[in-house]
């Protein structure tokens, strides 16, 4: 079975054709349980998310803030494994028919085996992988197998990324480019700021030939911020705000409903644009 990079590309293009940014939600696998995580992702899609990133919980999530670290810790203490991540991708894709990516640090893939990981992700119906800590110059093996299995390779750029590096990343990446709106770790912010817009513009200029969508994450937590980012980005990525809804909920069912409600609010935000 081939992966679903084309579904991802078609979904992002479809949002653009509607004159809006795509809404991309992030939730970790195995949080609060494997089954509970699957229900939460389905709820995010049901509420209006166009794409979901499934986080592969890691013991040293260097780019993740305290909210996602807490969720990862719960998942890891629950015994979540890569097989559970693949099951999460498979069940949510089969239930919704929508693009599901995995967001993971490189170390778990390296230990698991690149060929095995890409083959299993494609078999599960995954659309690709976001690899925040894989340097583009060290990514040839991954990209070879990802292309073979029709999986997107999404690299992360930051405000500190120089134009030459942006050009290198947009040439090597596929699916979309993940633009981290500010330096630092994931988490909600009071404002997303002009730094993100500048990064989007520089990334587009650097990759003019690649024509990859540029989606912004880190800091977006409400409809007003989603509308602001939707005014200049191709996609709005929200993670910590979804996880916080689940952490703050009195029980798992309420957490799932919280995810659905937040997705609905954010979906309205990307449609009204600041």
């Amino acid at each position: 079975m081939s992966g679903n990079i084309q579904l991802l590309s078609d979904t992002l293009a479809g949002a653009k054709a509607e004159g809006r940014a795509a809404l991309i939600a992030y939730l970790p696998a195995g949080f609060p349980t494997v089954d509970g995580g699957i229900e939460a992702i389905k709820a995010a899609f049901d509420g209006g998310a166009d794409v979901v990133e499934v986080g592969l919980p890691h013991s040293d999530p260097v780019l993740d803030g305290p909210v996602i670290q807490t969720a990862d810790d719960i998942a890891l203490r629950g015994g979540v494994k890569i097989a559970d991540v693949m099951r999460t991708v498979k069940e949510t894709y089969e239930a919704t028919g929508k693009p599901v990516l995995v967001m993971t640090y490189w170390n778990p893939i390296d230990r698991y085996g690149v060929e095995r990981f890409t083959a299993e992700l494609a078999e599960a119906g995954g659309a690709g992988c976001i690899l925040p800590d894989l340097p583009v110059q060290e990514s040839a093996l991954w990209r070879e197998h990802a292309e073979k299995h029709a999986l997107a390779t999404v690299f992360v750029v930051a405000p500190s990324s120089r134009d030459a590096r942006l050009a290198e990343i947009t040439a090597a990446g596929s699916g979309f480019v993940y633009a981290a709106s500010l330096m630092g770790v994931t988490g909600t912010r009071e404002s997303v700021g002009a730094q993100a817009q500048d990064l989007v513009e520089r990334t587009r200029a650097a990759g003019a030939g690649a024509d990859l969508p540029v989606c912004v994450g880190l800091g977006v937590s409400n409809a007003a911020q989603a509308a602001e980012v939707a005014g200049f980005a191709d996609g709005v990525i929200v993670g910590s705000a979804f996880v916080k809804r689940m952490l703050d909920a009195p029980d798992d069912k309420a957490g799932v409903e919280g995810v659905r409600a937040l997705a609905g609010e954010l979906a309205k935000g990307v449609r009204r644009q600041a």
Side-chain angles (χ1 to χ4, degrees):
M1 180 173 172
S2 291
N4 273 311
I5 186 173
Q6 192 60 51
L7 176 63
L8 174 64
S9 298
D10 291 348
T11 299
L12 294 172
K16 186 175 184 178
E18 292 175 16
R20 66 175 178 88
L23 174 60
I24 303 174
Y26 166 94
L27 285 160
F31 167 73
T33 61
V34 176
D35 288 339
I38 289 168
E39 290 309 307
I41 293 165
K42 289 179 188 174
F45 276 129
D46 190 42
D50 298 290
V51 179
V52 169
E53 305 170 7
V54 176
L56 194 160
H58 190 48
S59 56
D60 186 25
V62 292
L63 295 178
D64 293 316
V67 170
I68 290 175
Q69 283 187 25
T70 299
D72 276 5
D73 186 53
I74 290 168
L76 290 166
R77 282 192 281 115
V80 70
K81 294 181 170 55
I82 287 178
D84 299 312
V85 177
M86 298 299 178
R87 183 185 143 212
T88 299
V89 171
K90 181 179 174 66
E91 292 194 14
T92 51
Y93 166 65
E94 288 180 348
T96 64
K98 294 182 178 177
V100 184
L101 298 125
V102 170
M103 185 166 188
T104 178
Y105 295 99
W106 179 245
N107 191 41
I109 294 177
D110 195 35
R111 288 205 315 261
Y112 198 72
V114 174
E115 168 60 31
R116 181 182 176 198
F117 190 95
T118 51
E120 289 183 8
L121 182 56
E123 185 64 31
C129 242
I130 301 163
L131 300 159
D133 65 340
L134 177 63
V136 66
Q137 61 270 23
E138 296 173 20
S139 66
L141 177 65
W142 164 266
R143 286 187 288 124
E144 176 193 335
H145 288 289
E147 285 167 21
K148 183 169 82 173
H149 292 289
L151 296 169
T153 298
V154 179
F155 291 111
V156 178
V157 298
S160 60
S161 300
R162 297 180 184 276
D163 290 350
R165 177 162 170 75
L166 294 178
E168 192 178 9
I169 284 172
T170 50
S174 56
F176 63 91
V177 178
Y178 186 128
S181 66
L182 68 174
M183 301 301 291
V185 297
T186 57
T188 59
R189 300 287 192 282
E190 291 300 313
S191 67
V192 181
Q195 211 174 27
Q197 186 167 358
D198 176 66
L199 178 58
V200 169
E201 289 169 358
R202 288 199 301 119
T203 304
R204 282 186 180 142
D211 202 29
L212 272 184
V214 183
C215 304
V216 170
L218 271 68
V220 178
S221 61
N222 57 47
Q225 290 172 336
E228 178 193 353
V229 173
F232 57 81
D234 299 299
V236 180
I237 303 169
V238 181
S240 295
F242 280 112
V243 175
K244 194 169 189 307
R245 286 280 176 115
M246 295 187 70
L247 286 170
D248 290 348
D251 55 54
D252 292 353
K253 185 179 179 183
V256 168
E257 290 308 313
V259 166
R260 183 179 283 107
L262 179 59
E265 294 162 25
L266 294 165
K268 287 177 185 170
V270 300
R271 282 164 174 80
R272 63 178 161 87
Q273 301 188 11

